[in-house]
Amino acid sequence: MVALVLVGHSPELLSGLRAMLAQAAPETPVSVAGGTDAGALGTSAPRILRAVRAALADAPDGAVVLLDLGSAALALEMALDDLDPAERVRVRVSRGALLEGAVRAAVEAAGGGALAAVLAVSEIPPGTDKLPDDWPADGRPPG
Amino acid sequence: MSGTLVAGWLSLAAARIAAERAYLTELDAAIGDGDHGINLHRGFRTLEARLAADAAEPDAPGPLLVLAGRAITGTVGGASGALYGRALMRAGAALEARSSDRPAGPGQLVAVFWAAVDGVATLGRSRPGEKTMLDALIPAAIAFEAAGAAEADLATATRRAADAAEAGALQTLPLVATKGRASYLGERSAGHLDPGAVSSALILRALADVAAERA
């Protein structure tokens, strides 16, 4: 099984997303690192490191990390620098959108997908299947 | 550089950031997300509390800087927390790697200063001229290195570094940001000081003032 790690600025956003994932793919282990150690909006390298380690402990096949915004990438990189080499080889970081990517990835992981497959589905561009095909391309309401 | 000097520096930096938090936030509101002063203030306040609780070895400046860096990365949040945390942790590691037990003077601290600045540049994938902390930190490191080469004392070397950082921060005014949140504004980021460069200069001025007091 592959686990997911959700990294973001808002703890509330991530706990809501985790609840959605638990419904869509209850088997997939999900760890979250949202907000700073002081409970404010932001990211925390120590908190991210703990979440990644928790995910790896739950998932022998590795973990895919998703992040909300690019400014989380610096703290994430610092956290990953502190992993042991044996842990690092089991981690992949997704360029995908947090919400859509996490839902796809959780379902893929629950179905037994390997690390590369979970990463790949997480990076499918969001929005491609959100609306029916006949919805106007310029975003206006149909009809 | 001794542990007490580091502790005094971080404590004065925390006070200066507390005093300037509204100004830093105002600078950030112009070109970023308006939380730089608040975030740094929160981080340095937590840092002070942690230093007070964990000051088991007050004379070990290296471990103290590493501890400070960890506290900052965990509590400031966003890019500035990661970058300041990385700077302090790299400085601490470089200081610990020195073999001598004697407090280091400016000549030996040049490599420590550069380790911190390189840590910021590498993590941020940034260079001077991109309207970031580096526009204060790199001139500061160059000035510190020149003072070290001229065998200036620590108070003089840190004062020159702080002078260079302040001048560098002022020179971010016309720059167009290409890194970080300010880069979303493109050309409109010109005409504002970079908050990270200003806070870097503030933190280095605190170091210079503490070094002058203890000279």
Side-chain angles (χ1 to χ4, degrees), chain B residues 1 4-14 65 88 203-204 206-207 210:
Chain B
M1 178 173 271
T4 46
L5 186 129
V6 169
W9 167 34
L10 295 172
S11 168
L12 184 61
L65 285 168
L88 292 171
I203 290 167
L204 287 174
L207 173 61
V210 168

Side-chain angles (χ1 to χ4, degrees), chain A residues 9 35-47 49 69-79 81-82, chain B residues 35 39 42 46 50 70-71 73-83 85-86 89-90 122-125 181 184:
Chain A
H9 289 66
T36 69
D37 294 355
L41 292 178
T43 51
S44 149
R47 191 171 275 233
L49 180 63
L69 293 173
S71 55
L74 296 184
L76 173 63
E77 188 174 350
M78 285 191 75
D81 279 351
D82 283 347
Chain B
D35 58 6
N39 286 349
R42 186 182 55 234
T46 310
R50 208 167 297 178
R70 285 199 193 285
T73 58
T75 51
V76 172
S80 61
L83 293 167
R86 168 62 58 102
M89 285 160 73
R90 284 286 157 92
T122 310
L123 186 64
R125 275 90 174 165
R181 198 79 61 106
Y184 296 169

